[in-house]
Amino acid sequence: MNSDNSRIALVTGATRGIGLETVRQLAAAGIRTLLAGRDIATATTQAEALQSEGLPVEPIQLDVNDADSIAIAVEQVSDRFGRLDILINNAGIFLDNQRQGATGQSMQVWRDTFNTNLLAVVEVTLAFLPLLRNAPAARIVNLSSILASLSLHTRPGSMIHGVLVPAYSASKAALNSWTVQLAHELRNSPIKVNAVHPGSVRTDMNKGRGELDVAEGARSSVAMALIGEDGPNGSFNHLGESLPW
Ligand code: NAP
């Protein structure tokens, strides 16, 4: 069991990109942070690099698409800490070929996208929920995207009007829906659940073509992980500003 009072966070898909930077910022805020990666060797290397900066980071193996891996990770966190204060569902994939539009994506692209961006988030969250309930006031942050917004997709002149990446967009819209449903069910508990758009962030996902660096891109996740009792529940936001569903 964790003997000190520091909060415990777990960030999925944290071996690179926004997830890795989210680990860095949470740990810099004094949160004991588990850097989760499906490849434990990479997770260990990244965690050691942050440890060498004096940050309280530890690696943990977690493939969000693998039920056994999820169960083992839950067991490890349970044995070591008995609770989880912050879960950041950051792992995500983008497989659509934008040139092929709404009708041209393969069913494999649809299935793989929904498996990782929606079903794995549900499975990981349900598996960790008992440990999140053991924490005094747990926070769950789901990495959504502006591309989830049906209002903006249908608003002529919006920055995403006509951007056709249907599997990714639909998976993140479904993730927003799950966020709202879970937040409602947990509304009388101390747990808060929110979805964030990190911004258009330069990572491998967009081949480095985003507008923000990862330091800026991790800020929305970290802010929602650290909200107090008066913070939102069931929101969709970027840097604290509400986004249209
Ligand atoms: P990224 O650089 O492509 O990194 C994705 C991370 O997810 C990697 O660490 C990857 O691990 C991990 N991952 C993928 N499948 C996994 C699985 N089955 N199990 C465990 N980890 C898995 O992406 P990013 O740009 O940092 O994106 C992070 C999140 O923000 C995603 O949910 C994304 O949809 C969302 N987002 C990003 C942007 C943006 O502009 N970048 C905008 C809106 C939303 P491996 O290294 O093992 O592949």
Side-chain angles (χ1 to χ4, degrees), residues 13 15-16 18 38 63-65 90 144 168 172 199 201 203:
T15 45
R16 56 195 167 98
I18 297 165
R38 55 182 159 183
D63 181 338
V64 299
N65 287 329
N90 171 84
S144 181
Y168 184 81
K172 295 292 188 180
V201 186
T203 66

Side-chain angles (χ1 to χ4, degrees), residues 5-239:
N5 289 329
S6 59
R7 279 175 283 175
I8 313 296
L10 185 148
V11 183
T12 69
T15 45
R16 56 195 167 98
I18 297 165
L20 178 60
E21 177 62 21
T22 302
V23 169
R24 181 198 304 277
Q25 292 185 17
L26 283 175
I31 313 283
R32 196 162 170 179
T33 306
L34 302 173
L35 186 161
R38 55 182 159 183
D39 177 17
I40 187 61
T42 310
T44 302
T45 303
Q46 298 291 31
E48 284 173 355
L50 294 174
Q51 285 164 6
S52 72
E53 298 172 24
L55 297 171
V57 174
E58 295 168 44
I60 187 167
Q61 199 280 333
L62 179 54
D63 181 338
V64 299
N65 287 329
D66 180 339
D68 291 341
S69 169
I70 296 170
I72 292 167
V74 169
E75 199 178 306
Q76 287 175 350
V77 176
S78 178
D79 288 350
R80 292 204 51 211
F81 306 111
R83 67 168 204 279
L84 183 64
D85 298 271
I86 295 167
L87 172 64
I88 303 203
N89 288 306
N90 171 84
I93 56 174
F94 180 102
L95 300 177
D96 298 69
N97 181 335
Q98 198 176 338
R99 288 191 302 275
Q100 292 171 343
T103 56
Q105 315 301 328
S106 70
M107 288 315 299
Q108 200 59 49
V109 163
W110 279 95
R111 289 196 181 94
D112 289 349
T113 302
F114 267 72
N115 275 338
T116 299
N117 291 0
L118 176 70
L119 301 178
V121 175
V122 175
E123 190 165 357
V124 166
T125 304
L126 294 180
F128 277 106
L129 199 51
L131 292 177
L132 292 160
R133 288 189 190 279
N134 284 350
R139 305 290 179 244
I140 301 170
V141 182
N142 293 333
L143 269 283
S144 181
S145 166
I146 195 79
L147 290 164
S149 173
L150 304 184
S151 306
L152 294 179
H153 273 296
T154 51
R155 185 185 300 168
S158 95
M159 66 168 115
I160 63 165
H161 187 243
V163 176
L164 301 181
V165 285
Y168 184 81
S169 295
S171 72
K172 295 292 188 180
L175 179 64
N176 280 358
S177 179
W178 158 247
T179 303
V180 167
Q181 304 257 321
L182 181 63
H184 186 83
E185 186 160 313
L186 297 175
R187 70 193 181 286
N188 294 322
S189 83
I191 303 176
K192 293 185 187 299
V193 191
N194 291 288
V196 298
H197 168 55
S200 169
V201 186
R202 286 187 291 280
T203 66
D204 296 340
M205 185 169 278
N206 50 31
K207 301 184 177 62
R209 286 195 290 261
E211 291 159 13
L212 307 177
D213 61 19
V214 285
E216 192 69 11
R219 281 180 56 203
S220 292
S221 300
V222 173
M224 281 301 111
L226 300 181
I227 51 172
E229 211 182 321
D230 56 348
N233 184 39
S235 77
F236 174 34
N237 72 75
H238 170 66
L239 291 176

